[in-house]
């Protein structure tokens, strides 16, 4: 047998080589490795004891196995399996069989028989469990074969009565994954009654081992076709002693509720009936006060995904009060008032309100049975913050689907702003923002929300600003309150300036009618007296103006209330802070004209303009050189201005402008007179062209990696430009005498290969080729650029350090000083890997620092926040001087391909191959550099 | 039936001087040994003469367990152990052991030095008493003696508070002490596993309260303090030195930190410093947040909270002061209150319960003019706020604990009778278990149904398993054959053969025989054959043989036929079966009594 196998292995190996020869004769080289199976066989034969064999197997498992040799390896392994007496080795072999069956392209049906055979002869429980696991893998690999499936299920049923829990576990898992309702009807041992897989699995809900109960529940969850009566059993397991069982049962109940949400189930102990999803919701709510926090997390998470639940039930999760006829509203005002009217329980908020009052009808009051009652109240004040976060998330999901619930959970979310863990606070602010479209804040609620503005954590404040941008308020007092608090915030934390202004912009544009009555007060105008003109540099005054102007945009009566200087300030702010101040239609003043034109410039027209400019450029071919260059110059200028004016199109406009600039450079480089000169004369002029080529290259990298949302077409266009630039470089190099002289000797070089590849060029000599290249290059026209839907330019702004400080950062030389960096990144994909911080010292030294992945936060989609520290150090200076800090975007030309490449190896391969092709690595600076004043002092002796 | 007897010496339908006697499985245990704040005479300590009229308690008690360090749970301990006399072990958790003597000493000082009482325990007695203490760890099972074991669970409430699970054999009692089911700023929530005790003794201070979310309370509290500070007012918070004080400190400290506030917070010194020291040490007993962050910074090392000096009270500008005692009846808090009461910008926040008669109680009930000693009156202009920060479980929390532990019986202590009545009804209705609420000195007996452990031989178990079906069903009892051997205090279930062998007995055969008369006109052998075919059709799956010697064998049952002497048509069937086949034999005899069906050939 062994000899036969070996022969087969070798045969199969040689066959592989031959076939490849026949199929692809064009390919010259095919790397072939010695067959894995043969090597393994030799290794295993060498092994004298089980430890050695195990070592060999472990070693073997680290390397991937090619599809062709899998079967051979399997045979070898099985052969050893039969011979092996040691359990651990057999176990390892069994697990290897499973891994091997997963190999892509290998069909494991040939080893089913063997695996089942081994299963029948196996005595060790552990090995049995592993073998069943292997069978499961095989079964999942062969989804199309009902016979194999049936056999496997029969095997599983047979071993279900094993005494070892692991075996029962695996059997159940197998049944759960492979069993279907219709096909396998196995016969029970005792008689002729036919049982399906569900029944068999559900029998094990009552197993004595909690692990088996868990497995049974999980197997049932995996099953898509359930029987209703299983529900009852699952519900019983919700009160199991073991947390894993309870956790699986929660999952089970959830699955059932999702499958049959509308089924009607009776309530035990009464003759009422409710929907299954409501019942399940109640039961899971109950689990939010479970003893184990893992179950609590699971329950809270699950609640969030039960969107079909009736609003009546949903509201109870926020109502810790009893389910009685007295249904109370839970608004903050009414709560305090109504607490005592019921007379059941006091809230503990007022003195002596728990004095016993008249007795209640006990039948109406349930403390525990009304499961859904107060589930979220419990969840939100749970001991473990994991549970609290899960509860907040669930609240957000439910609130998004139900506006009335959103209204109700508002108070609770606001309460969470006061949590002891910042993560929870932040999360609840985000959640509130998400649901804020549904709600209008009342004054008292707003008050509590705004109290958080004084928080010392910047993240929290900014999240809150973000929230205020999206909230609706009901009265003018609210607007005033918000403004006051924001100004207070601005006063306390001046760094929040931009964020506060932005916030007021939205506040104003959302509530124009509420702002209107406030205007005289806000601008401190007086009907009779002139008031002093406020200081234009005061951030608080700017904040007020931002609010007013944004409100005025949709409230045409408002400008009438402005005083003269307000109009002047408007003109100033419109220019300096154009992203915050909208164009206004103002009477007289001549501003009218300018603004009306501006305001008509909507996104669509800008888009149109962009397209027209591009079209115009495409006619460039027909123009003379100077005219073309001029046209390009104008277009580039236009586009840049357009980008400044229209924020929405900034990315696209910039992209086009950069692209056109490349073209312009190329054109300039090619149209210089130097090309007509004799080679030796023009060495000097070459310099400009070389520089241009270099610059084009750089720009193309920027084009490729700095902009998000590019499609493959644009990338190809960019590559095309890059190729042109490279060709230009080549031509330029070729024109130097040195190269010309050496060229004929450079046999087997890149040029040769190039010649081979290009049939058209193959006949000519190197010199001619350069000439051809040169002419083609000069003749090549501008490629029409087609714009994708959305182009975003990656940008970064360093918020801190501001670069305004005159106080040098002093530290002792040889030691380090930490510099806090706070920056906002827009439209950067995968910033954890690409964004670096560069520090430039005055002596030309530069350091590149990779921030930790944890330093990046994601406050909004397409926006990241980098808050990190960089360490500076230098030798002693005599005077303080400035260093530059900037952000770099790292790119590598292979990054796009390597991302999509599948992972190599089929097991825990550590020595995987690195992609050999050399990628072009580089960085693009994408933020304005910030200067920091530092002073390394000499160390004191 | 064995019983667990419970007698509260204190805290039965009352709050204060918790002391509960439990006798379980022949062991006597005292749970807590507290004093009553409301009395200054003998009633302040539990009546130990209930246990024995004269002499020491050592021989009557197996152990004493103290749940936490509040004086109403441990105040009478030195009195009991040193003055009445008890030398057995006293169990308490490590933090309790550390903080308890400080409080006892303080209590002693006030009673003896200030009030001038004699016949009170001395410092030495406190020290001697503490020497008898055995510390407990959470979830550690401690064998008090061979049979009695105790295990502590986390209870929240205050630092080191524990619930105890007491177990003798298979009977068990859980005593909760005071506990809190909602976590707060410095302590976690009480937790117990599903230990299914025979009796759960729970406190019920807030039997009729369901508290609002603690978030609301905290937010209100912080908002009030913050507003008052912003107005430039002074805030007085009267507290007792331990427990709530730390909670409020943490709350304010983090709020100050978050909001970047500058107004000073003071804490009147004394006890607090010592206690705070222990709070810093016993980090493992605090909540998740403090446990996780103490490596960076121990939350009990306050940055904004400073020690208070008497002179600070007159300083201008806003401030927050924590001062003792909590009910404004004496001491520093009262002095400060008098100073600040006249200004409406100021505020006093009462964070807890106030006993009737104290100033705290009066102002909470809205009294705006107070009569002070010396006939002077004090106008109360400052704002008075009440904030319940009590760390006891509310009604819902108590229910939750019952659900966690799943006890068979329930007993309520440490609460007011009327409120207990309400909760008792609820518990009986919800869980359908018995609930008791004895008054002081009243004994409650709870009958238990202890399970008796029996060793079973593995062979027998395996054999029985093999007989049954393949499906496990632990919920369904199953009968099995075996022999129970009682030998030297142990019970053993073995197969009968083994039992015979072990006991050296011979096996006796026991056979039942019975006669059945049958009307049948056929001959004897035909009748026999007819019986054979009849049984064959009825009993499928059994081996039935027709033997040549004129008998029919069904398994091991022998059936013979003989004609009656008088009437040839009347046949007498002789059935004989062994004891083991009793079921089948009796079935056959009833079957044959009904006669043979006529259709047989």
């Amino acid at each position: 047998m062994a000899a036969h196998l070996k022969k087969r292995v070798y045969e199969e190996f040689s066959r592989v080589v031959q076939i490849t020869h026949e199929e692809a004769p064009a390919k010259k080289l095919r790397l072939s490795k010695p067959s894995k199976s043969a090597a393994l066989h030799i290794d295993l034969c060498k092994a004298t004891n089980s430890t050695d064999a195990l070592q060999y197997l472990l070693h073997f498992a680290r390397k991937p196995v090619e599809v062709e040799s899998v079967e051979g390896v399997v045979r070898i392994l099985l052969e050893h399996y039969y011979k092996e007496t040691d359990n651990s080795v057999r176990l390892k072999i069994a697990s290897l069989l499973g891994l091997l069956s997963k190999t892509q392209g290998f069909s494991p049906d040939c080893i089913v028989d063997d695996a089942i055979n081994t299963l029948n002869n196996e005595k060790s429980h552990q090995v049995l469990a592993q073998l069943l696991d292997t069978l499961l893998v095989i079964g999942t690999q062969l989804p199309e074969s009902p016979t194999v499936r049936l056999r496997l299920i029969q095997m599983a049923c047979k071993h279900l009565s094993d005494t070892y829990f692991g075996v029962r576990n695996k059997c159940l898992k197998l049944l759960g994954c492979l069993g279907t309702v219709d096909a396998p009807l196995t016969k029970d041992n005792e008689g002729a009654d036919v049982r399906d897989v569900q029944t068999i699995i559900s029998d094990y809900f009552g197993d004595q081992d909690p692990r088996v109960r868990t497995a049974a529940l999980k197997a049932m969850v995996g099953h898509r076709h359930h029987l209703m009566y299983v529900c009852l059993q699952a519900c019983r397991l919700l009160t199991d002693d073991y947390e894993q069982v309870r956790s699986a049962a929660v999952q089970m109940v959830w699955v059932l509720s999702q499958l049959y949400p509308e089924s009607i189930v009776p309530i035990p102990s009464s003759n009422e009936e409710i929907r299954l999803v409501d019942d399940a919701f109640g039961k899971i709510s109950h689990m939010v006060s479970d003893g184990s926090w893992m179950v609590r997390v699971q329950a809270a998470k699950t609640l969030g995904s039960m969107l079909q639940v009736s609003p009546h039930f949903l509201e109870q999760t926020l109502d810790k009060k009893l389910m009685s006829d007295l249904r109370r509203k839970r608004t903050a005002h009414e709560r305090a008032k109504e607490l005592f009217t019921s007379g059941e329980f006091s809230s503990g908020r007022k003195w002596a309100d728990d004095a016993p009052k008249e007795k209640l009808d006990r039948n109406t009051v349930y403390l525990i049975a009304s499961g859904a009652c107060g589930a979220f109240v419990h969840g939100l004040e749970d001991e473990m913050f994991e549970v609290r976060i899960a509860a907040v998330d669930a609240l957000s999901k439910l609130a998004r689907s139900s506006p009335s619930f959103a209204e109700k959970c508002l108070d609770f979310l606001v309460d969470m702003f006061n949590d002891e863990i910042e993560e929870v606070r932040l999360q609840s602010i985000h959640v509130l923002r998400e649901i804020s479209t549904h709600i209008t804040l009342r004054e008292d609620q707003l008050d509590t929300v705004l109290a958080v503005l004084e928080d010392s954590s910047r993240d929290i404040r900014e999240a809150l600003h973000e929230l205020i941008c999206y909230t609706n308020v009901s009265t003018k007092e609210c607007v005033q309150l918000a403004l006051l608090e924001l100004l207070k915030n601005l006063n306390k934390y001046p760094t929040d300036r931009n964020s506060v202004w932005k916030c007021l912009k939205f506040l104003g544009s959302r509530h124009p009618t509420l702002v209107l009555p406030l205007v005289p007060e806000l601008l401190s105008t007086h009907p009779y007296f002139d008031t002093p003109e406020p200081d234009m540099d005061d951030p608080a005054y700017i904040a007020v103006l931002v609010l007013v102007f944004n409100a005025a945009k949709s409230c045409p009566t408002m400008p009438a209330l402005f005083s003269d200087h307000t109009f002047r300030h408007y003109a100033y702010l419109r220019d300096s802070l154009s992203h915050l101040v909208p164009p206004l239609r103002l009477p007289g003043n001549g501003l009218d004209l300018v603004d009306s034109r501006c305001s008509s410039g909507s996104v669509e027209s800008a888009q149109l303009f962009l397209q027209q400019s591009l079209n115009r450029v495409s006619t460039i071919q027909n123009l003379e050189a100077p005219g073309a260059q001029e046209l390009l110059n104008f277009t580039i200028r236009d586009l840049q201005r357009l980008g400044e004016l229209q924020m929405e199109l900034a990315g696209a406009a910039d992209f086009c402008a950069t692209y056109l600039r490349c073209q312009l450079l190329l054109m300039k480089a090619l149209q210089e007179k130097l090309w007509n000169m004799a080679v030796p004369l023009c060495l000097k002029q070459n310099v400009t062209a070389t520089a241009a080529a270099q610059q084009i290259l750089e720009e193309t990298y920027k084009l490729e990696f700095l902009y998000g949302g590019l499609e493959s077409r644009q990338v190809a266009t960019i590559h095309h430009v890059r190729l042109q630039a490279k060709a230009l470089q080549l031509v330029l190099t070729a024109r130097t005498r040195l190269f010309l002289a050496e060229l004929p000797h450079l046999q087997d070089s890149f040029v040769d290969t190039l010649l081979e590849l290009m049939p058209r060029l193959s006949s000519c000599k190197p010199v001619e080729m350069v000439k051809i290249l040169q002419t083609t290059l000069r003749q090549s026209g501008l490629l029409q650029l087609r714009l994708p839907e959305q182009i975003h330019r990656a940008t970064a702004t360093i918020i801190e350090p501001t670069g305004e400080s005159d106080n040098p950062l002093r530290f002792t030389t040889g030691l380090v000083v930490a510099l806090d960096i706070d920056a906002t990144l827009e439209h950067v994909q995968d910033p954890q890997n690409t964004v670096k911080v560069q520090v430039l010292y005055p002596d030309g030294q530069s350091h590149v620092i990779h921030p930790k992945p944890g330093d990046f936060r994601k406050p909004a989609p397409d926006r990241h926040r980098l808050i990190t520290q960089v360490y500076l150090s230098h030798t002693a200076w005599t005077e303080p001087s400035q260093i530059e800090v900037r952000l770099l975007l790292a790119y590598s030309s292979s990054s796009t391909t390597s991302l999509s490449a599948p992972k190599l190896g089929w097991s825990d391969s550590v020595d995987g191959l690195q992609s050999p092709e050399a990628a072009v690595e580089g960085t693009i600076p994408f933020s304005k550099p910030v200067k920091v004043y530092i002073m390394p002092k000499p160390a004191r002796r | 039936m064995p019983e667990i007897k419970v007698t509260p010496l204190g805290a039965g339908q009352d709050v204060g001087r918790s002391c509960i006697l439990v006798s379980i499985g022949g062991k006597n245990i005292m749970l807590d040994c507290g004093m009553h704040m409301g009395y200054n005479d003998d009633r302040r300590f539990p009546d130990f003469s209930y246990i024995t009229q004269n002499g020491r308690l050592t021989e009557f008690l197996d152990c004493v367990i103290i749940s936490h360090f509040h004086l109403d749970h441990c105040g009478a301990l030195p009195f009991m152990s040193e003055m009445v006399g008890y030398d057995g072990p006293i169990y308490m958790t490590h933090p309790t052991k550390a903080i308890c003597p400080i409080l006892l000493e303080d209590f002693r000082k006030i009673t003896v030095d200030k009030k001038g009482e004699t016949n009170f325990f001395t410092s030495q007695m406190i020290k001697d008493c503490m020497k008898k203490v055995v510390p407990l760890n959470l979830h550690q099972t401690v064998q008090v003696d061979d049979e009695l074991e105790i295990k502590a669970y986390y209870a929240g409430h205050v630092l080191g508070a524990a619930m105890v699970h007491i177990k003798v054999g298979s009977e068990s009692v859980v005593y909760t002490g005071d506990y809190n089911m909602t976590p707060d700023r410095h302590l976690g929530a009480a937790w117990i596993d599903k230990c299914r005790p025979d009796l759960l003794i729970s406190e019920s201070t807030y039997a009729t309260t369901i508290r609002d979310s603690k978030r609301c309370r905290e937010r209100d509290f912080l908002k009030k303090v913050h507003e008052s500070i912003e107005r430039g007012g002074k805030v007085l918070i009267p507290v007792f030195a331990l427990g709530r004080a730390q909670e409020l400190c943490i709350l304010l400290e983090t709020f100050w930190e978050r909001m970047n506030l500058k107004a000073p917070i003071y804490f009147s010194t004394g006890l607090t410093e010592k206690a705070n020291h222990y709070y810093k040490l016993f980090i493992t007993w605090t909540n998740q947040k403090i446990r996780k962050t103490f490596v960076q910074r121990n939350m009990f090392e306050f940055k904004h909270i400073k020690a208070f000096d008497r002179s600070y009270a007159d300083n201008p500008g806003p401030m927050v002061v924590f001062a003792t005692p909590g009910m404004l009846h004496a001491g520093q808090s009262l002095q400060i209150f008098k100073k600040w009461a006249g200004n409406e910008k100021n505020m006093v926040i009462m964070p807890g319960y106030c006993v009737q008669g104290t100033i705290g109680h009066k102002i909470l009930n809205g009294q705006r003019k107070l009569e002070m000693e010396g006939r002077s009156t004090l106008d109360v202009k400052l704002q008075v706020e009440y904030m319940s920060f009590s760390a006891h479980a509310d009604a819902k929390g108590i229910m939750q604990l019952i659900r966690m532990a799943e006890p068979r019986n329930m007993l309520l202590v440490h609460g007011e009778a009327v409120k207990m009545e309400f909760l008792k009804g609820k518990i009986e209705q919800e869980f359908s278990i018995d609930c008791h609420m004895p008054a002081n000195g009243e004994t409650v007996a709870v009958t238990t149904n202890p399970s008796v452990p029996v060793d079973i031989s593995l062979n027998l178990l395996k054999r029985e398993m093999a007989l049954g079906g393949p499906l496990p069903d632990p919920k369904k009892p199953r009968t099995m054959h075996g022999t129970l051997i009682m030998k030297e205090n142990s019970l053993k279930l073995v197969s009968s053969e083994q039992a015979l062998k072990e006991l050296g007995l011979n096996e006796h055969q026991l056979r039942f025989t019975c006669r059945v008369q049958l009307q049948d006109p056929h001959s004897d052998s035909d009748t026999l054959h007819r019986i054979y075919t009849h049984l064959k059709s009825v009993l499928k799956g059994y081996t039935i043989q027709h033997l040549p010697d004129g008998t029919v064998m069904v398994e091991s049952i022998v059936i013979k036929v003989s004609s009656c002497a008088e009437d040839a048509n009347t046949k007498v069937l002789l059935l004989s079966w062994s004891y083991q086949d009793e079921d089948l034999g009796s079935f056959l005899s009833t079957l044959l009594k009904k006669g043979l069906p006529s259709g047989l050939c």
Side-chain angles (χ1 to χ4, degrees), chain A residues 3 72 112 196 229 332 346 362 444 517 525 564 594 617 674 723 841 887:
Chain A
V112 174
D196 56 20
Y229 79 96
S346 81
R362 281 189 182 148
D444 57 317
T525 49
D564 289 346
V594 182
V617 170
L674 68 103
L723 186 67
Y841 293 96
L887 298 183

Side-chain angles (χ1 to χ4, degrees), chain A residues 412-480:
Chain A
F412 293 88
L413 279 175
V414 170
D415 282 346
M416 293 305 285
F417 288 9
N418 203 9
D419 196 89
E420 53 201 349
I421 307 246
E422 181 169 327
E423 214 177 323
V424 182
R425 295 201 293 268
L426 206 54
Q427 183 67 24
S428 45
I429 294 176
H430 286 315
V431 166
L432 193 56
R433 191 192 72 218
E434 280 162 20
I435 63 171
S436 55
T437 43
H438 290 310
I439 45 178
T440 304
L441 286 177
R442 285 192 324 273
E443 195 173 339
D444 57 317
Q445 290 167 332
L446 188 72
D447 194 32
T448 30
V449 171
L450 291 172
V452 187
L453 275 177
E454 287 188 50
D455 203 293
S456 59
S457 153
R458 187 170 186 152
D459 285 335
I460 296 269
R461 288 200 310 271
E462 284 189 358
L464 203 71
H465 292 153
E466 199 85 359
L467 164 66
I468 296 174
C469 288
Y470 290 99
T471 30
N472 304 311
V473 295
S474 46
T475 61
K476 76 175 169 81
E477 281 78 21
C478 291
V479 175
Q480 196 169 20

Side-chain angles (χ1 to χ4, degrees), chain A residues 798 819 821 823 834-840 846-852 855-856 866 868-872 884-889 926-927:
Chain A
I798 299 181
L819 179 68
I821 302 240
T834 53
V835 176
K836 324 259 182 229
V837 183
Q838 188 187 31
V839 180
L840 266 173
S846 100
H847 289 166
V848 175
I849 294 120
H850 304 234
K852 286 178 293 198
D855 290 340
F856 293 93
L866 169 65
T868 186
Q869 283 193 324
V870 297
Y871 298 113
L872 310 174
E884 274 187 15
V885 179
R886 71 169 105 184
L887 298 183
L888 301 180
L889 190 70
F926 75 129
S927 78

